[in-house]
Amino acid sequence: MGTGRARVAASILNSDLGNLAHVVRRLEKAGADRIHLDVMDGHFVPNLTFGPRTIKALRPRTELPFDAHLMISEPGRYVDEYIDAGCDSITIHVEIDEPIEPTLERIREAGRAPGLSLKPGTALRTLERYRKLIDIVMVMTVEPGFGGQQFMRESARKILRARALFSERPMSGEIHVDGGINRETAEYVGGLGADILVVGSALFAKGHDIGREIRLVKALADEGYAFQFNAGKPPVPRDEWRSIASLPRHIGSQLRSIIEAQGIPVIMLRANGRMNPDGIRDYELLVPRSVETVARERFTPERQRAEAEADEWRAAFASPEGDRTIRRADPT
């Protein structure tokens, strides 16, 4: 996992399909964050690749997440097979001629991330009705079906507008960009706010070192983001967490549930700070640094109520009067 903002999903479409186990292990060692699986049926797109049996066979070969991009006409018919194969996210196309909601719902019910992809000629507004059902928007910057195509700059501009689909969910939504991503285009899409860059042909081009290409793409995407969104400062690393509250465990757990219900992950860790009357220190509530400001501002009233409740609980616990067994923090 990198220390910056941008992440690379390595597409294996143009790799050695006869030795995919070696390919995914090599990509993991080189620093790829995910494996991007381009599934094509020869009908929705004029090409045929691999299916769930191949993916299932690959699943034990790496611990990297599998992002399946189903460029197929009937994803609803086959989605359970891709779930069973071990895909961590499954993205289907909004242009298909079958109901989309049931497939997205099945993906989410299985605990996987559902996504929608749109071709270069498809308007972003077609995703609006599905915004609450998806965790991924995949912006195609080439026509789907073949690797190695020319990057379509005009289509990439949808990335910036796509962020609005997740405006109410600062952590759970991701914008993927797929098609023609390399060292020449990474800075541009990073500057538009892409979260996940799907990189394929550039990794396997003759004379290219996979690890170096991945590092270059990430660094250039972060540089684009820094100058377009962050006043020239490096973007906040995705893996850095910050404390927004320090509370007794039973009160902290309640606040964590409130925050996580709004799509912001929270980690609770026992702190080195205040010792409570029950002999147990406060727990720190940590959120990703990238949403620290949002979490502090959005949940100010809830944090203040939790802190007031904690003060009352400490005072009651320390008092010689009353039944302490009622005031003691829930150990669970």
Side-chain angles (χ1 to χ4, degrees), residues 87-105:
C87 297
D88 297 275
S89 72
I90 301 175
T91 296
I92 64 176
H93 269 263
V94 72
E95 299 92 354
I96 58 173
D97 293 324
E98 68 174 24
I100 290 175
E101 292 93 337
T103 302
L104 297 176
E105 289 168 353

Side-chain angles (χ1 to χ4, degrees), residues 44-116:
F44 182 78
V45 292
N47 197 4
L48 190 65
T49 56
F50 43 77
R53 292 182 62 185
T54 299
I55 295 171
K56 192 168 187 176
L58 275 179
R59 183 63 281 182
R61 307 301 180 183
T62 178
E63 295 184 0
L64 291 179
F66 277 4
D67 290 347
H69 178 194
L70 305 188
M71 289 169 273
I72 63 178
S73 296
E74 299 178 277
R77 181 178 177 183
Y78 301 104
V79 68
D80 290 333
E81 296 182 45
Y82 289 96
I83 291 169
D84 182 62
C87 297
D88 297 275
S89 72
I90 301 175
T91 296
I92 64 176
H93 269 263
V94 72
E95 299 92 354
I96 58 173
D97 293 324
E98 68 174 24
I100 290 175
E101 292 93 337
T103 302
L104 297 176
E105 289 168 353
R106 280 158 64 190
I107 296 168
R108 190 180 297 284
E109 288 169 2
R112 318 302 166 88
L116 281 175

Side-chain angles (χ1 to χ4, degrees), residues 92-95 100 104 115-118 122-134 136-139 162 165-166 175:
I92 64 176
H93 269 263
V94 72
E95 299 92 354
I100 290 175
L104 297 176
L116 281 175
S117 181
L118 63 167
T122 302
L124 189 63
R125 63 177 178 272
T126 59
L127 303 186
E128 182 65 35
R129 61 183 292 190
Y130 308 110
R131 64 188 302 170
K132 294 184 178 180
L133 298 175
I134 57 176
I136 294 169
V137 170
M138 184 176 294
V139 176
L165 292 170
F166 299 126
I175 309 300

Side-chain angles (χ1 to χ4, degrees), residues 248 250-251 274 276-278 307-329:
H250 65 297
I251 299 174
R274 181 169 185 170
N276 287 306
D278 62 352
E307 289 164 357
E309 182 182 352
D311 289 339
E312 292 175 3
W313 173 80
R314 293 183 185 108
F317 196 101
S319 172
E321 302 175 356
D323 182 3
R324 286 194 175 185
T325 61
I326 296 176
R327 295 191 301 266
R328 183 176 293 274

Side-chain angles (χ1 to χ4, degrees), residues 120 139-143 148-157 159 177-182 184-190 192 198:
V139 176
M140 296 294 297
T141 46
V142 298
E143 290 295 337
Q149 297 181 58
Q150 191 72 24
F151 176 76
M152 299 172 71
R153 197 177 185 92
E154 184 65 30
S155 181
R157 294 176 184 171
I159 296 170
V177 57
D178 183 5
I181 304 302
N182 51 41
E184 283 77 35
T185 57
E187 184 175 354
Y188 180 68
V189 298
L192 293 170
V198 179

